[in-house]
Amino acid sequence: MNVLRARPLAGDRVRELLSLCSLQPRHTVEQSIAAVQLLGADEAADILGRQRCRSLVVSRLTPYRNHAAVERVLSLLEPRAARIRHMHAVLEDNLARVDALAAKHGVTVLAFKGLGARKVYAEPQFRDFGDLDLYVADRAQAALLAGALREEDGYTVNPGEVPWLKYDARARLLYGQINLLAPAADDLINVDVHFGDYSVRHSSRLGLDRSLSFPDSAGLHTMDIEHTLASGVNNAAGDHFVTVKDTNDLLCALSLERFDRAVFRGLLEGAGLTHFFGFVVEKLRACSILTPRQEEALAAVGVPASGLEPAPRLDRPDWGRRCWATTVHAFAAARPRGLGPAVRTAVDAYRYYREPLRLAVDTDPGAAEPLERFDMTTCVRLVPLGLARELPGGRHLDARPGPHVLRRTALRTDRGVVRRDTEAGTFIDMDGEPFVATVSYRIPGAMLGGTRDGRRGD
């Protein structure tokens, strides 16, 4: 008697496709190519590209390019893979430049995320990365390093991801990021400087300031794998999407002789990321085969039971699921303070994440956005005045009268951060450089009037 095999669901095809990205694939290349053909080359290339493993995928598929569908996938992935190969080729020179700049200015820097994870890969050339993720202890050191990169190497503030700040009043800790673009037509790599701690979704933080040790000497060093891996999980949680790059990082860590599972687990528990880590493990098992040693190490880390967060999609990010997961996480993080604070924090998270935000100038004469809060739930974006004036509706506004400064205060824990409140909104100066502060991404036009440095009325 013949037994008919049920046709695989689309999800099964996606798993077969994702196996191409895994360091320890669950399926054969031939099965993955069959998935490419069934899903369609363009759809398959899109899914594969989102896994951030282009170098590995291109290497695996190149011997099979006689297949028309494979050739189409390679044509879509190879340009970015070629760029990543170039970045690998110039990486050591870039790291040497950062090391020299940091030592020159007395800044202790830790390379982490991709730069830390690739250290535990047997073949680091297959660990894709997009920029140089660097971590320093505080805002002052971040500004020193970012300033040196801008002044000496020609880096500029990334208009797609402007600097931001958050503040933990209880710990008196200022934390955030400064994202910089490398000069065009050069061998320099984009840089993302993180400082103080690593923000977790809407209203939590990872706790790097409490558990991380810095070397005594200035210059560039590498963060340990436990904190690096936890930072990678946090980065994925922020997007509410697990890439196979993330699961490959976990595979490599689980293979190490020395991997402090208790430290890694403690970071996830403290940040409320254990449920999301369960999704990382689910995707790991969906496309990879673990060795007995890795299984044992994973069991020691512990995989939590499912919670209220929706499962991320396997193929691509989903904004609605991200919003819901972030809202649930915000509620859980605030719940120890009482039901009321938990509900308010969750509502705040939902309002902020319900749809993507984009920088825009509000040309309404009465538009205003005062900075009402400065805390862990408030991500204060710092928009350079030059960038703001280049936005639609922002050009030539400097010809108008500038806003009158009503109040000027320096942050007690960091005197280099000065807040200037006006009737239209708030400026924040970092070491004398003025920025427009925005939470909603909306910039009142009146904030852009006055002198080119935004100081009229001081």
Side-chain angles (χ1 to χ4, degrees):
M1 178 179 176
N2 293 328
V3 177
L4 295 177
R5 183 185 175 193
R7 183 178 179 182
L9 298 173
D12 294 320
R13 291 306 185 194
V14 169
R15 291 176 178 86
E16 291 170 354
L17 179 69
L18 295 180
S19 187
L20 275 174
C21 307
S22 175
L23 294 173
Q24 297 170 199
R26 176 168 290 278
H27 302 283
T28 66
V29 176
E30 289 75 15
Q31 287 174 303
S32 297
I33 291 174
V36 169
Q37 293 172 322
L38 285 169
L39 291 168
D42 286 33
E43 172 72 0
D46 182 67
I47 294 171
L48 290 169
R50 293 175 185 275
Q51 309 308 313
R52 303 295 187 262
C53 300
R54 295 179 181 91
S55 301
L56 182 58
V57 170
V58 167
S59 174
R60 286 217 174 114
L61 286 182
T62 295
Y64 300 87
R65 66 187 319 152
N66 57 309
H67 293 263
V70 171
E71 176 61 32
R72 173 61 177 168
V73 169
L74 286 171
S75 71
L76 294 170
L77 296 182
E78 279 183 328
R80 180 58 183 166
R83 171 59 185 163
I84 293 169
R85 285 195 298 273
H86 176 72
M87 290 168 63
H88 277 287
V90 301
L91 177 59
E92 292 305 320
D93 287 343
N94 275 262
L95 296 179
R97 292 172 77 114
V98 171
D99 180 46
L101 275 180
K104 175 182 175 181
H105 293 276
V107 180
T108 302
V109 184
L110 296 178
F112 78 134
K113 293 174 65 178
L115 296 180
R118 71 187 299 275
K119 294 282 189 179
V120 299
Y121 275 58
E123 298 177 284
Q125 74 273 17
F126 290 139
R127 207 303 181 171
D128 290 5
F129 64 96
D131 53 21
L132 306 182
D133 280 294
L134 308 175
Y135 179 77
V136 298
D138 55 44
R139 198 280 320 167
Q141 291 192 71
L144 268 177
L145 181 61
L149 288 165
R150 292 168 68 186
E151 294 166 14
E152 300 180 38
D153 281 344
Y155 280 81
T156 55
V157 172
N158 184 354
E161 189 176 345
V162 295
W164 59 265
L165 301 171
K166 284 189 173 185
Y167 185 64
D168 183 344
R170 181 176 300 178
R172 302 185 68 186
L173 178 72
L174 186 69
Y175 58 105
Q177 289 178 232
I178 304 174
N179 192 283
L180 301 174
L181 294 181
D186 206 335
D187 284 340
L188 297 180
I189 301 173
N190 296 343
V191 172
D192 200 0
V193 184
H194 305 245
F195 58 89
D197 198 5
Y198 198 178
S199 181
V200 176
R201 288 175 165 167
H202 181 66
S203 55
S204 301
R205 57 188 184 88
L206 193 55
L208 299 182
D209 62 308
R210 296 187 293 267
S211 61
L212 193 63
S213 297
F214 278 88
D216 294 330
S217 59
L220 182 64
H221 308 267
T222 302
M223 187 180 290
D224 63 82
I225 188 59
E226 293 83 7
H227 288 83
T228 282
L229 189 61
S231 298
V233 172
N234 178 39
N235 185 73
D239 296 331
H240 198 62
F241 179 64
V242 182
T243 67
V244 183
K245 178 184 70 175
D246 300 319
T247 64
N248 283 340
D249 290 352
L250 177 58
L251 270 180
C252 291
L254 295 174
S255 301
L256 295 175
E257 291 282 348
R258 296 182 179 180
F259 174 56
D260 195 325
R261 276 106 54 177
V263 169
F264 174 65
R265 184 174 60 248
L267 286 164
L268 298 185
E269 289 175 348
L273 291 175
T274 53
H275 285 155
F276 183 81
F277 180 66
F279 298 133
V280 177
V281 174
E282 287 179 8
K283 187 154 185 175
L284 171 66
R285 295 195 183 283
C287 57
S288 306
I289 294 179
L290 281 66
T291 66
R293 178 188 184 88
Q294 290 166 338
E295 289 282 9
E296 180 182 353
L298 186 57
V301 171
V303 181
S306 61
L308 293 177
E309 291 186 20
R313 289 180 57 160
L314 285 174
D315 54 352
R316 53 177 52 86
D318 182 291
W319 192 274
R321 297 189 195 201
R322 181 192 187 197
C323 178
W324 175 241
T326 304
T327 301
V328 169
H329 184 272
F331 179 87
R335 188 63 183 88
R337 302 200 308 269
L339 182 59
V343 170
R344 287 192 293 272
T345 304
V347 169
D348 188 48
Y350 174 76
R351 287 174 175 168
Y352 191 79
Y353 283 91
R354 62 184 170 181
E355 60 185 20
L357 299 173
R358 291 179 176 83
L359 286 177
V361 174
D362 190 339
T363 55
D364 184 335
E369 188 189 353
L371 183 58
E372 297 177 350
R373 297 179 304 175
F374 189 23
D375 56 21
M376 292 174 62
T377 68
T378 310
C379 186
V380 181
R381 300 282 174 174
L382 305 179
V383 186
L385 286 170
L387 170 60
R389 288 180 174 125
E390 289 303 313
L391 294 171
R395 293 180 176 85
H396 313 302
L397 286 177
D398 58 313
R400 297 181 180 181
H404 177 67
V405 175
L406 305 174
R407 183 170 53 255
R408 179 189 180 100
T409 54
L411 190 66
R412 283 182 293 178
T413 55
D414 186 339
R415 308 302 290 184
V417 177
V418 176
R419 171 176 176 161
R420 292 183 290 125
D421 292 299
T422 77
E423 66 274 12
T426 301
F427 292 104
I428 289 184
D429 302 338
M430 289 209 302
D431 298 328
E433 181 177 2
F435 297 86
V436 178
T438 179
V439 177
S440 69
Y441 283 58
R442 184 174 58 90
I443 302 170
M447 297 288 290
L448 305 182
T451 62
R452 297 299 292 181
D453 70 358
R455 293 173 183 274
R456 175 166 291 186
D458 256 353

